[in-house]
């Protein structure tokens, strides 16, 4: 499964996928300055060691799509059907912007987008996982601080549609990973003087990459009449911000007011180690015994025969 990862790209038959290492080398050979990406990775490496992550996702295990034969193809972090795949230990991503060529139309923004995706997926790669064999098939029963019984019953329930808050561990972990990835991207953009583009979609994407989207941005309907994929990309960006990042921010504000950064740091350390002891004790000190379980565990988790 891990030797042949070609099945992961079958949902994108129009795109050509190459390892991230090769993509960066090709861009550098054409004169694109790739130093910001490598500098950002070094920032991530230093930060992640503090959370207990000693090894980054190998660049050769990241597949980048471009050279698309589909008219109007538009890629980036919010392109559909991509991300980290834990069984194969491979990340599938796409080059930000029009995908008809192998080089990006906006190299600076595309490099920041790659950095955000890579920093994000490194945390997924490093999250604690546990598997059991069920009828010859590996079944994941732990991912970070989230759990699932072999019957399929998830530890925490899905949030209600349209909720501004979250009690779902999947959303909390996804939000924590992206908050960290965007902080790294923002620091890199500031260091190398990358500024917000003038076009509406580019400006929105820059704010998304750097974690500086406003409430007005999330309500904006991005309509690009000449390119349906760009319109969908803007909608996906807004949906992810409201469904993941805003909910995670609200969670930190609810349970760690004035201490959001400290809670975020403890969450990431717990996700990497898979041990909620320190995080649970920290929450208990502020909200009373059993806070973690009370927040997240669905009442039916230990009932027999349930499936998610």
């Amino acid at each position: 499964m891990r030797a042949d990862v070609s099945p992961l790209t079958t949902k994108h038959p129009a795109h050509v996928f190459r390892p991230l290492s090769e993509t960066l080398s090709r861009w550098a050979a054409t004169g694109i300055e790739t130093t910001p990406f490598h500098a950002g990775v070094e920032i991530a490496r230093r930060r992640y060691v503090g959370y207990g992550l000693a090894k980054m996702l190998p660049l050769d295990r990241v597949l980048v799509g471009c050279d698309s034969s589909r008219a109007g193809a538009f890629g980036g972090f919010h392109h559909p059907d991509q991300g980290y795949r834990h069984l194969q230990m491979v990340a599938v991503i796409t080059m930000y912007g029009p995908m008809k060529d192998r080089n990006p139309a906006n190299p600076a923004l595309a490099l920041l987008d790659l950095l955000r995706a890579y920093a994000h997926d490194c945390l997924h790669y490093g999250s604690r996982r546990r598997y059991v064999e069920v009828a010859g098939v590996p079944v994941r029963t732990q991912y970070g601080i989230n759990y699932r019984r072999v019957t399929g019953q998830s530890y925490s329930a899905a949030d209600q549609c349209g909720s501004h808050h979250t009690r779902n561990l999947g959303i909390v972990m996804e939000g924590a990973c992206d908050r960290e990835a965007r902080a790294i991207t923002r620091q890199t953009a500031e260091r190398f003087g990358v500024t917000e583009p003038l076009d509406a979609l580019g400006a929105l994407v820059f704010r998304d990459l750097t974690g500086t989207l406003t409430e007005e941005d999330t309500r904006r309907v991005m309509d690009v009449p000449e390119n349906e994929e760009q319109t969908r990309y803007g909608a996906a960006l807004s949906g992810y911000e409201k469904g993941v990042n805003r909910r995670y921010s609200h969670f930190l504000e609810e349970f760690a007011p004035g201490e959001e950064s400290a809670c975020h740091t403890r969450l990431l350390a717990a996700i990497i180690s898979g041990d909620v002891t320190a995080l649970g004790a920290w929450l208990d000190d502020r909200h009373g015994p059993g806070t973690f379980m009370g927040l997240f565990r669905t009442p039916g988790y230990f009932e027999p025969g349930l499936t998610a």
Side-chain angles (χ1 to χ4, degrees):
M1 181 184 293
R2 289 178 177 164
D4 179 15
V5 298
S6 58
L8 294 180
T9 60
T10 55
K11 289 186 176 181
H12 308 286
H15 308 340
V16 175
F17 285 88
R18 301 180 179 90
L20 176 54
S21 54
E22 181 182 337
T23 297
L24 291 169
S25 295
R26 284 173 176 265
W27 289 1
T30 63
I32 294 175
E33 179 56 72
T34 60
T35 301
F37 176 86
H38 296 293
V41 170
E42 188 54 37
I43 293 171
R45 192 189 312 277
R46 291 196 299 269
R47 290 173 68 116
Y48 291 179
V49 166
Y51 303 130
L53 179 58
K55 184 180 179 182
M56 302 285 277
L57 175 62
L59 296 183
D60 288 344
R61 304 297 292 180
V62 181
L63 303 178
V64 182
C66 58
D67 267 340
S68 182
S69 60
R70 188 176 70 232
F74 193 88
F77 184 81
H78 299 288
H79 190 75
D81 296 319
Q82 64 176 37
Y84 183 70
R85 304 295 182 248
H86 66 98
L87 285 174
Q88 294 84 0
M89 295 180 73
V90 165
V92 177
I93 60 180
T94 49
M95 176 183 76
Y96 170 73
M99 296 179 64
K100 60 185 179 64
D101 299 318
R102 65 177 56 176
N103 287 350
N106 186 328
L109 207 55
L111 282 165
L112 289 181
D113 186 83
L114 276 183
L115 175 61
R116 187 257 193 102
Y118 178 71
H120 182 115
D121 287 339
C122 277
L123 291 170
H124 286 316
Y125 166 73
S127 299
R128 178 73 166 91
R129 294 186 297 277
R130 182 178 297 162
Y131 301 86
V132 297
E133 184 181 330
V134 179
V137 177
V139 175
R140 189 176 68 186
T141 57
Q142 180 181 0
Y143 170 50
I145 56 174
N146 201 4
Y147 311 93
R148 185 180 296 274
R149 297 183 63 198
V150 294
T151 57
Q153 175 68 16
S154 180
Y155 189 86
S156 59
D159 295 323
Q160 291 185 351
C161 183
S163 172
H164 296 292
H165 305 271
T166 185
R167 297 294 183 268
N168 181 270
L169 281 169
I171 296 295
V172 168
M173 292 197 304
E174 179 73 4
C177 290
D178 204 46
R179 184 185 183 98
E180 188 70 9
R182 296 203 296 182
I184 291 163
T185 307
R186 181 169 62 252
Q187 185 176 343
T188 303
E190 291 170 354
R191 175 178 171 182
F192 288 91
V194 183
T195 56
E196 186 176 295
L198 297 177
D199 66 288
L201 181 57
L204 193 67
V205 167
F206 180 84
R207 293 173 205 156
D208 176 45
L209 294 174
T210 55
T212 55
L213 286 169
T214 65
E215 287 287 348
E216 183 182 350
D217 288 333
T218 62
R219 293 192 297 266
R220 182 182 304 176
V221 177
M222 183 62 60
D223 186 15
V224 187
E226 67 274 13
N227 191 302
E228 184 181 345
E229 287 208 26
Q230 290 186 34
T231 298
R232 289 201 300 266
Y233 193 89
L237 183 157
S238 178
Y240 186 85
E241 175 69 9
K242 289 184 286 190
V244 175
N245 285 313
R246 294 284 162 157
R247 289 185 187 180
Y248 179 62
S249 292
H250 290 155
F251 171 79
L252 293 178
E253 291 163 3
E254 277 186 283
F255 294 98
E259 298 180 286
E260 291 90 344
S261 180
C263 185
H264 171 72
T265 296
R266 284 169 172 78
L267 268 164
L268 282 174
I271 289 169
I272 298 302
S273 69
D275 185 352
V276 300
T277 304
L279 172 64
W282 192 87
L283 289 170
D284 287 353
D285 283 345
R286 287 149 180 80
H287 305 287
T291 299
F292 182 89
M293 183 177 66
L295 279 173
F296 296 114
R297 196 178 79 186
T298 180
Y301 183 65
F302 287 115
E303 292 182 12
L306 293 179
T307 58

